Amino acid sequence: MRDKIWQYKNKNLTMEQVNGISQRQGVPKVITTILLNRHIEEQEFAAFLRKSMRDIINPFDMLDMDKAADRIAAALEKHEKIVIYGDYDVDGITSTTLLFEFLTNQGADVSYYIPDRRDEGYGINIMAVNRLLKQGAKLLITVDCGITAIGEVEFAALSGLDVIITDHHTCKERIPTAAKAIINPKREDDDYPFDALAGVGVAFKLVLALAIRLGLDTNKCFAEFIDLAAIGTVADVVDLRGENRIIVDKGLKAMQTPKRPGVRALLEISGGGKKAPDASTIAFAIAPRLNAAGRLGTATTAVELLLTRDEAKAKSIAKTLDEENRQRQITEQEIYDQALEMVGADPNFSKKKVIVLAHEDWHQGVIGIVASRIGDRFYKPCILISYSNGFGKGSGRSIDGFNLFDALTACGDCLTEFGGHSVAAGLTLNIADLEKFDKAINKYAEEVLGERDLIPKVKIDCPISEKALTLNNAKLIARLEPFGIGNERPVFSLRSATIVYISAVGSEGKHLRLGIAKSGMTFSAIGFNFGEYVGKFKINDKVDIAFQMNINNFRDNETVQLHIKDIIPAAS
């Protein structure tokens, strides 16, 4: 149990504003409040709610898209050997699959290459470029990587290999201008109106551009690949507003009757196919198993799964990935336990605002997940580094208010390489510089993080009355799906409710089952990983509760269920 700050969104929003917009837009007040809290402007309400393909932006509005489409069309015409160079996470796997399948369908001489996470690391490397040159490659197209590979792209260009970069990671001051085209909505000189696409989103826009360039049916193309675009987008935890919202919504609808044997097999083996898939189905059922290929094995296995049309092969590969995912969970727990021991043994831990831990031969495919767990536990940015032979590779996860990419930029003289986003990043360094890096990033954190920044936040949309906790309102809220970053599932607060029953449930009593009452109305609530709160509260206690309003369907009987985000003694 840990104190949290209840942080209300858009505190300056008045009821007069909400009522006016609600009436003008014909949208219920609770939905109006939620949309305004997500910085959706009134004139954008209709587009946000309709989630229509007509709001997909023309791919040629993205800088260099025309150059890329022209160069790829020329390669198709000349039957040049094309190689897609991907990344080993789900975003890279789906990007690789999507572009490879599309080009294959156009009769291209195309193959794909995904570097080994442990031996080669992230992004383009010169050994791989040399290998591809020897195989006769004439055009290399990156997906979900390449924006920082200045030297590697120059080497490729000088060696006679044309490079097209598609990426979505944050750009540094210099970009690989030796490339024939650089497609990245985060380019400072690109005025594309939505810069939060995942890597697969950028690859998807390239495919749509090629479909236009080649005179293909773009609607058919959209339908063929939207499932892959949705999986990669959710897995990469990007903003689910704008185009990403449409991509994920349409992709989830397509996955209700999945045409890919690999997706069907993943849903079946994970138990995610028992109900209509939502974003959490991708995040917790599909993505971890696809990720397991790149973390413990080879990411090409996951690409093979998504490409195959053989049902038996799909089931076999899905079973393998499920087993690798279980092994990943075991390895993850081992590293997590070791990391906690290191934290406990550090006498200066409480003084540090960034957690930096290094260990010899930690599995590089798992340290990012563990960094996220350690960061969540202590609510501090966390970087875990695996090293061998004097060389370390790290993965970091951040918290609100701390831009990890900016922090690594400020510590650049301690690192040999880094890249990523504000909330997640990777790095390499000489292990001799570890202490220097630890001090540098903590010094930077002292300047940008206050003590209040290191207290977990419960971000609440608005207070709600017990009379508004209705099944109809819960269904209205469900229409705002898909939920994720930028469009989080709404959180409400209810003050001074009375506990009518309370118990610990689940394995080892990890979860909390709660009944609360107010004004003669009773509601059931569940708190995942809140089991220890049973010792803090008792029947008849008055509490304030922060929660999400969900629909519980039991034996075809739908009821409102509150999912607890925090519970505290009533303020009054």
PDB file of all heavy atoms in Angstrom, residues 41 168 193 385 470:
ATOM      1  N   GLU A  41     -10.803  18.310 -29.265  1.00  0.00           N
ATOM      2  CA  GLU A  41     -11.528  19.564 -29.457  1.00  0.00           C
ATOM      3  C   GLU A  41     -12.963  19.289 -29.893  1.00  0.00           C
ATOM      4  O   GLU A  41     -13.256  18.239 -30.487  1.00  0.00           O
ATOM      5  CB  GLU A  41     -10.822  20.411 -30.516  1.00  0.00           C
ATOM      6  CG  GLU A  41      -9.379  20.775 -30.182  1.00  0.00           C
ATOM      7  CD  GLU A  41      -9.250  21.715 -28.995  1.00  0.00           C
ATOM      8  OE1 GLU A  41     -10.241  22.445 -28.727  1.00  0.00           O
ATOM      9  OE2 GLU A  41      -8.189  21.722 -28.348  1.00  0.00           O
ATOM     10  N   HIS A 168       9.617   5.463 -36.734  1.00  0.00           N
ATOM     11  CA  HIS A 168       8.761   6.380 -35.970  1.00  0.00           C
ATOM     12  C   HIS A 168       9.447   6.840 -34.689  1.00  0.00           C
ATOM     13  O   HIS A 168       8.837   7.551 -33.895  1.00  0.00           O
ATOM     14  CB  HIS A 168       7.429   5.702 -35.619  1.00  0.00           C
ATOM     15  CG  HIS A 168       7.557   4.640 -34.552  1.00  0.00           C
ATOM     16  ND1 HIS A 168       6.843   4.679 -33.386  1.00  0.00           N
ATOM     17  CD2 HIS A 168       8.335   3.535 -34.473  1.00  0.00           C
ATOM     18  CE1 HIS A 168       7.151   3.625 -32.637  1.00  0.00           C
ATOM     19  NE2 HIS A 168       8.056   2.915 -33.277  1.00  0.00           N
ATOM     20  N   PRO A 193       0.201  15.716 -40.139  1.00  0.00           N
ATOM     21  CA  PRO A 193      -0.574  16.156 -38.968  1.00  0.00           C
ATOM     22  C   PRO A 193      -0.672  15.174 -37.815  1.00  0.00           C
ATOM     23  O   PRO A 193      -1.235  15.519 -36.776  1.00  0.00           O
ATOM     24  CB  PRO A 193      -1.968  16.427 -39.564  1.00  0.00           C
ATOM     25  CG  PRO A 193      -2.035  15.598 -40.795  1.00  0.00           C
ATOM     26  CD  PRO A 193      -0.641  15.534 -41.336  1.00  0.00           C
ATOM     27  N   ILE A 385      20.742  -2.817 -17.278  1.00  0.00           N
ATOM     28  CA  ILE A 385      21.830  -3.011 -18.247  1.00  0.00           C
ATOM     29  C   ILE A 385      22.398  -4.418 -18.108  1.00  0.00           C
ATOM     30  O   ILE A 385      22.711  -4.869 -17.000  1.00  0.00           O
ATOM     31  CB  ILE A 385      22.946  -1.974 -18.024  1.00  0.00           C
ATOM     32  CG1 ILE A 385      22.394  -0.557 -18.249  1.00  0.00           C
ATOM     33  CG2 ILE A 385      24.141  -2.241 -18.951  1.00  0.00           C
ATOM     34  CD1 ILE A 385      23.321   0.546 -17.785  1.00  0.00           C
ATOM     35  N   THR A 470     -24.701   3.774 -13.983  1.00  0.00           N
ATOM     36  CA  THR A 470     -25.733   2.965 -14.620  1.00  0.00           C
ATOM     37  C   THR A 470     -25.146   2.119 -15.742  1.00  0.00           C
ATOM     38  O   THR A 470     -24.083   2.427 -16.298  1.00  0.00           O
ATOM     39  CB  THR A 470     -26.823   3.872 -15.226  1.00  0.00           C
ATOM     40  OG1 THR A 470     -26.226   4.668 -16.280  1.00  0.00           O
ATOM     41  CG2 THR A 470     -27.422   4.788 -14.167  1.00  0.00           C
TER      42      THR A 470
END
